[in-house]
Amino acid sequence: MKKILVLNGPNLNMLGLREPEIYGPETLRDVEDLCYETAMGHNMRVECRQTNHEGVLVDWIQEARGIYDGLIINAAAFTHTSVAIHDALRLLDIPIIEVHLSDPKKREEFRHFSYVEPVAARVIAGQGAKGYKLAVEAINELLS
Ligand code: CA2
């Protein structure tokens, strides 16, 4: 059974509690449940993790090597700042899907650049929680 790691970055633990007009009404738990359900429907297994700490994300990305078949990442604000996450992702030889609930390219200019995008097989943005479902499906397609 193929295994997917889903990583969510800083402040995404607050989903559903603030700014639903930007990020949607779903909680992080809802988003994770959607990933589990979608993966199960494709006979895959998903593990979901969230952290507010850049170094922890780097550790988890490194640990994915040799264990997971695909990575879905919403690095949140670190998307726009982190060379460390970019470098860690470059070391992976599995498909990487970048997900954002909102579309950062339609927001403030400081959100327009992504350090994840150059290493991602696909970018899914602006589709709310459904973007995670699409990301699991994209990994399934890329691995088939
Ligand atoms: O749209 C996305 O998924 C983002 O990755 C979300 C990040 C933002 O920095 C990126 O530019 C785009 C912010 C996540 C903050 O999450 C919150 C959740 C609830 C309330 C407030 C913030």
Side-chain angles (χ1 to χ4, degrees):
M1 190 182 267
K2 302 280 187 200
K3 286 186 289 185
I4 303 174
L5 182 61
V6 178
L7 296 182
N8 281 300
N11 297 309
L12 288 166
N13 54 317
M14 302 299 283
L15 274 183
L17 304 181
R18 296 282 304 275
E19 302 187 328
E21 67 286 359
I22 300 176
Y23 300 115
E26 292 87 357
T27 62
L28 181 62
R29 180 71 187 271
D30 295 331
V31 165
E32 292 177 346
D33 284 346
L34 184 58
C35 291
Y36 298 132
E37 276 165 31
T38 311
M40 232 185 322
H42 293 285
N43 204 29
M44 298 191 295
R45 219 191 75 204
V46 148
E47 183 174 332
C48 298
R49 303 183 194 169
Q50 187 276 332
T51 178
N52 292 325
H53 304 280
E54 183 178 10
V56 174
L57 275 176
V58 171
D59 286 342
W60 286 346
I61 293 165
Q62 288 183 5
E63 282 167 25
R65 294 184 71 216
I67 297 177
Y68 293 94
D69 303 291
L71 178 79
I72 295 170
I73 182 163
N74 183 348
F78 294 142
T79 304
H80 318 299
T81 62
S82 180
V83 178
I85 288 173
H86 172 91
D87 286 344
L89 290 170
R90 282 171 69 118
L91 297 171
L92 288 184
D93 50 8
I94 56 175
I96 298 165
I97 310 289
E98 176 180 7
V99 176
H100 297 286
L101 294 147
S102 66
D103 185 349
K105 302 229 188 298
K106 294 189 176 151
R107 299 179 61 193
E108 304 95 322
E109 202 171 342
F110 62 82
R111 296 183 201 275
H112 291 189
F113 181 79
S114 166
Y115 281 98
V116 176
E117 193 176 325
V119 290
R122 299 214 187 138
V123 180
I124 298 170
Q127 311 235 34
K130 189 182 147 210
Y132 286 80
K133 178 184 165 72
L134 297 174
V136 173
E137 289 170 350
I139 297 246
N140 179 52
E141 199 185 301
L142 289 166
L143 293 177
S144 307

